[in-house]
């Protein structure tokens, strides 16, 4: 059973004093044709496939579960140390460790399907054909409602594998996945480019139904005493509150240029105010990642507090705020 004590009852009750009843608030959204009960999803890489967090609360309370990226073959990932704390987030260089698509289909997806979760499967690869093959094996899988094409993970051995740095390479991967997919396709992009709108336009022209903005930013940390990098891979992905302003800016830039393209906003989400900020920037759904390591209940809390936040202000639907930035 969910630990409801983690949600402050006063937050919910006071919503009725000055606004509208909490029960009158509608959180449902449509994400590229996918009906979600609420806009809160997990961020790939921070939630595995849900079983660990399900010990704390029912993962089906979330709009969708975006799983850790899956590759064609199993990957052991990068050597340790893989993580380093930063003043307002963390660096990680996991290296896309995962059991491979066949093992994931045999073990993890049946569990998610049994729980009744809506699954957005994140896929990665070393080549266009690897992406295509993973997408092909995901066809016809009942619980899978969408595919997230991870074009932008910085935690790889070779920077040339970060397809999102090239509009053309990104388009080739997305086109291959879209040819095989029987569900909406989302391209996950990086801010480590000169013009993210150009890449966004390229992948949507190639067949992406939506976008996830953004992935972690490439960063580095050095031990001042030893002079050694704190990550064995030297560089890693920076996540957490430090990257949120960058992510919000990217969402707003892309939403302004491509207003009809649904976006999953991602990067440093901790509070309901962060969710509203991403929504105002133009996001349809909002993913929470690194905060899960600090508070495993954060996804459940955000769903409850978002409803009361809207109720206190007399806002009946979350969609009323989408793209609403006052000049």
């Amino acid at each position: 059973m969910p630990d409801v004590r983690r949600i402050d009852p006063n937050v919910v009750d006071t919503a009725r004093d000055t606004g509208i009843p909490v029960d009158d608030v509608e959180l449902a959204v449509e994400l590229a044709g996918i009906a979600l009960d609420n806009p809160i999803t997990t961020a790939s890489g921070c939630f595995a496939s849900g079983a660990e967090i399900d010990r704390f609360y029912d993962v089906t309370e979330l709009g969708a579960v975006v799983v850790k990226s899956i590759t064609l073959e199993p990957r052991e990932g990068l050597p340790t140390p893989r993580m380093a704390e930063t003043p307002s987030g963390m660096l990680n260089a996991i290296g896309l460790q995962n059991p491979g698509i066949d093992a994931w289909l045999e073990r993890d997806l049946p569990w998610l399907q049994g729980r009744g979760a809506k699954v957005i499967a994140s896929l990665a690869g070393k080549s266009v054909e690897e992406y295509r093959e993973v997408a092909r094996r995901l066809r016809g899988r009942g619980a899978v409602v969408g595919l997230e094409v991870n074009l932008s993970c910085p935690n790889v051995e070779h920077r040339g594998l970060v397809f999102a740095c090239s509009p053309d390479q990104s388009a080739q991967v997305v086109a291959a996945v879209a040819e095989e997919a029987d569900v909406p396709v989302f391209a996950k992009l990086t801010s480590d480019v000169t013009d993210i709108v150009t890449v966004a336009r390229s992948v949507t022209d190639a067949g992406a139904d939506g976008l996830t903005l953004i992935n972690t930013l490439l960063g580095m940390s050095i031990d001042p005493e030893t002079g050694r990098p704190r990550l064995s891979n030297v560089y890693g992905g920076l996540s957490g509150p430090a990257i949120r302003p960058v992510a919000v800016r990217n969402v707003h830039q892309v939403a302004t240029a491509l207003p009809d393209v649904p976006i999953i906003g991602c990067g440093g989400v901790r509070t309901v105010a962060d969710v509203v900020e991403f929504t105002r920037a133009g996001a349809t759904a909002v993913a929470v990642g690194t905060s899960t390591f600090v508070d495993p209940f954060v996804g459940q809390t955000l769903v409850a507090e978002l409803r009361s936040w809207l109720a206190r202000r007399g806002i009946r639907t979350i969609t009323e705020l989408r793209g609403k930035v006052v000049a």
Side-chain angles (χ1 to χ4, degrees):
M1 292 292 292
D3 185 357
V4 294
R5 293 172 298 175
R6 299 303 293 258
I7 301 171
D8 184 355
N10 294 322
V11 173
V12 178
D13 291 342
T14 55
R16 300 181 181 275
D17 296 338
T18 58
I20 61 175
V22 174
D23 291 342
D24 287 354
V25 173
E26 180 57 71
L27 295 184
V29 297
E30 183 177 301
L31 181 68
I34 306 169
L36 303 182
D37 292 339
N38 63 73
I40 306 302
T41 77
T42 59
S44 175
C46 301
F47 205 79
S49 288
E52 294 85 349
I53 297 299
D54 197 69
R55 295 177 298 168
F56 299 97
Y57 67 90
D58 183 352
V59 295
T60 64
E61 294 180 36
L62 301 172
V65 175
V66 183
V67 302
K68 183 171 171 56
S69 293
I70 314 157
T71 54
L72 184 60
E73 301 294 337
R75 289 181 62 122
E76 294 184 359
L78 296 169
T80 58
R82 294 175 164 188
M83 300 174 72
E85 189 174 356
T86 66
S88 54
M90 60 179 280
L91 284 166
N92 86 86
I94 305 301
L96 296 175
Q97 178 180 344
N98 74 97
I101 183 62
D102 291 335
W104 186 83
L105 290 173
E106 180 180 350
R107 182 191 65 194
D108 296 293
L109 183 58
W111 180 86
L112 285 161
Q113 191 163 7
R115 294 294 288 124
K118 292 181 178 178
V119 180
I120 297 177
S122 174
L123 53 150
K126 295 180 179 179
S127 67
V128 172
E129 290 309 311
E130 282 196 13
Y131 278 96
R132 183 194 300 276
E133 180 59 22
V134 175
R136 187 188 68 79
R137 298 190 192 189
L138 286 165
R139 285 182 61 88
R141 304 292 178 168
V144 177
V145 299
L147 302 182
E148 183 179 85
V149 187
N150 185 355
L151 298 164
S152 49
C153 178
N155 309 324
V156 290
E157 298 92 335
H158 176 44
R159 284 292 290 169
L161 294 177
V162 184
F163 292 91
C165 291
S166 164
D168 292 338
Q169 290 183 1
S170 296
Q172 291 175 31
V173 172
V174 168
V177 171
E179 286 178 2
E180 299 292 340
D182 56 358
V183 291
V185 173
F186 300 85
K188 189 170 187 178
L189 304 183
T190 177
S191 188
D192 287 333
V193 292
T194 303
D195 182 8
I196 195 169
V197 172
T198 297
V199 184
R201 198 182 303 278
S202 179
V203 295
T204 53
D205 288 346
D209 301 288
L211 303 166
T212 300
L213 306 173
I214 57 175
N215 211 325
T216 54
L217 304 180
L218 191 64
M220 181 181 183
S221 180
I222 302 170
D223 186 316
E225 296 292 340
T226 66
R228 295 174 180 169
R230 287 196 167 97
L231 299 175
S232 65
N233 195 52
V234 182
Y235 305 136
L238 176 65
S239 64
I243 75 168
R244 190 176 64 252
V246 178
V248 171
R249 183 261 298 178
N250 283 171
V251 169
H252 185 257
Q253 281 182 314
V254 174
T256 301
L258 304 170
D260 296 328
V261 177
I263 296 172
I264 303 173
C266 182
V269 175
R270 293 184 306 152
T271 68
V272 67
D274 300 337
V275 174
V276 173
E277 186 175 14
F278 269 105
T279 303
R280 285 190 178 278
T284 298
V286 178
V288 58
T290 300
S291 295
T292 303
F293 299 138
V294 178
D295 177 9
F297 293 90
V298 65
Q300 180 195 48
T301 302
L302 288 175
V303 173
E305 292 189 354
L306 178 59
R307 191 181 300 277
S308 72
W309 190 96
L310 295 169
R312 287 199 303 275
R313 290 156 179 81
I315 302 171
R316 294 186 179 275
T317 66
I318 182 63
T319 56
E320 293 177 42
L321 295 180
R322 189 181 307 146
K324 298 298 173 60
V325 179
V326 180

